[in-house]
Amino acid sequence: MSAPLDRAAWLHPSADPAAEIFVPPSAEAQALVRHLGWLVAPSDVRGTLASRAVGVVVVAPFTQFTFFSFDLQAFLYEIFHTHAVTRVGHFVFMLGVNLFLMAGLARLPGAAALNGWAALDPATAYAALLITWYGLLARQTGLWGLGVAMVPVVVALRLGAWGFAAATSGAHGPLASPWLWMIVSALAVALSHAAEPLLPPRVNETPQWMPVAHYLFGPPGRRLPKRRTAVRLLRAGAQVLWGTLDEWWASPRLLPYNFLMLMFRAGYRPDVFRRLRDHVDRAEASGNPALDFVGVGGGTPLGRPL
């Protein structure tokens, strides 16, 4: 079990007294605090209107705006995806987002869509970018098996995109549009979160995790006024839109984590998986896993400057 870190080194003095960081924030996270702290880690924990809006829309900016922060990405993947429906939804439909994005790129003006691998069209360039990205992630973490495993996955996506382009060549109407299916896939990923029992901080207007029914209708014995419930239902509806945008943006970044968690459970790198699960179990036992760092604290932001 890793030792807790010095609070003063990482958290704002007015942070939740129960907040605890298990792993030092990544270099990317520290750069975000230095350069965009006013937006993602405001000095006033309550934040400005802009920082609160970012918190509601993207929920966890330190995952959405970083690309190689493995500890936090893996930690929040486990925290946010506890139900089988959520996990399956992310696995299947994040593949869909990337496949249809490639198919859409292959149809851009000037793209050699039907030449497939014979030309470096935008879809093939995107596939090469993903393979490079995942290879660099594997190098950084030492998870070389993941880097190797993702190569055939991305190649299969590129071939699937070519197949979609070939099957719909000359077709008209919305059902032949890869962009429509990309959006539908991102929406399906977002909707899969409905199976999760808890609503995260910021989304529920508090720094704590909360049961969905408690947020919408109030806790048992203290039901909310109908008008307040109606407002919260509207906010939840808006969250579907923000969630679709978030999952579209997250799909390239989280695609390898969908496979990595399966690999972990199949016995790959048990040392790394044990460390991850130790952090997740400790955070979940607290009832308030952190969003901006690996640890406990719910919506508690990182301090600045670091």
Side-chain angles (χ1 to χ4, degrees):
M1 181 180 295
S2 56
L5 301 176
D6 179 12
R7 285 176 51 88
W10 308 103
L11 296 176
H12 190 276
S14 62
D16 180 354
E20 180 183 348
I21 297 181
F22 303 156
V23 178
S26 68
E28 288 180 301
Q30 294 183 42
L32 274 178
V33 172
R34 284 196 301 271
H35 301 297
L36 286 175
W38 61 273
L39 191 62
V40 299
S43 298
D44 178 358
V45 172
R46 184 173 182 272
T48 64
L49 178 61
S51 66
R52 292 198 300 274
V54 167
V56 169
V57 172
V58 304
V59 185
F62 284 89
T63 54
Q64 296 286 20
F65 302 146
T66 61
F67 304 97
F68 294 98
S69 298
F70 174 79
D71 287 318
L72 182 60
Q73 300 285 354
F75 173 77
L76 286 188
Y77 186 95
E78 291 289 271
I79 293 295
F80 274 97
H81 311 123
T82 64
H83 196 283
V85 169
T86 317
R87 289 181 178 273
V88 172
H90 280 62
F91 187 93
V92 172
F93 292 105
M94 281 189 168
L95 285 169
V97 171
N98 285 283
L99 187 152
F100 292 116
L101 176 56
M102 288 185 192
L105 291 172
R107 286 189 176 180
L108 291 178
L114 298 182
N115 287 338
W117 299 97
L120 192 62
D121 59 84
T124 305
Y126 176 65
L129 173 64
L130 292 184
I131 290 174
T132 302
W133 181 356
Y134 303 154
L136 291 173
L137 180 64
R139 179 183 179 184
Q140 177 198 21
T141 59
L143 299 172
W144 291 106
L146 176 63
V148 171
M150 292 310 296
V151 173
V153 171
V154 176
V155 170
L157 288 174
R158 179 63 188 95
L159 293 175
W162 176 86
F164 179 88
T168 57
S169 179
H172 300 286
L175 295 182
S177 169
W179 305 113
L180 171 65
W181 292 112
M182 180 189 72
I183 294 170
V184 169
S185 296
L187 173 61
V189 177
L191 290 176
S192 72
H193 277 282
E196 293 295 315
L198 298 177
L199 203 61
R202 298 171 183 155
V203 174
N204 64 39
E205 305 174 71
T206 78
Q208 309 286 324
W209 291 77
M210 180 186 299
V212 176
H214 289 193
Y215 172 71
L216 294 177
F217 307 108
R222 290 190 291 124
R223 292 303 185 189
L224 295 175
K226 292 182 179 179
R227 180 173 296 181
R228 186 76 177 275
T229 291
V231 170
R232 290 190 170 186
L233 285 169
L234 289 174
R235 284 177 59 95
Q239 202 63 41
V240 173
L241 171 61
W242 310 139
T244 299
L245 293 173
D246 291 342
E247 299 295 2
W248 171 80
W249 174 255
S251 287
R253 186 184 72 254
L254 292 185
L255 182 64
Y257 291 89
N258 290 316
F259 286 87
L260 179 61
M261 297 309 164
L262 289 179
M263 293 169 65
F264 278 156
R265 287 170 171 81
Y268 176 66
R269 291 299 301 269
D271 56 325
V272 179
F273 190 41
R274 278 196 301 271
R275 181 172 180 266
L276 169 61
R277 285 307 313 178
D278 172 60
H279 294 154
V280 171
D281 291 344
R282 290 168 62 192
E284 289 182 334
S286 76
N288 202 31
L291 296 183
D292 292 344
F293 49 86
V294 179
V296 174
T300 299
L302 289 173
R304 68 180 177 103
L306 294 176

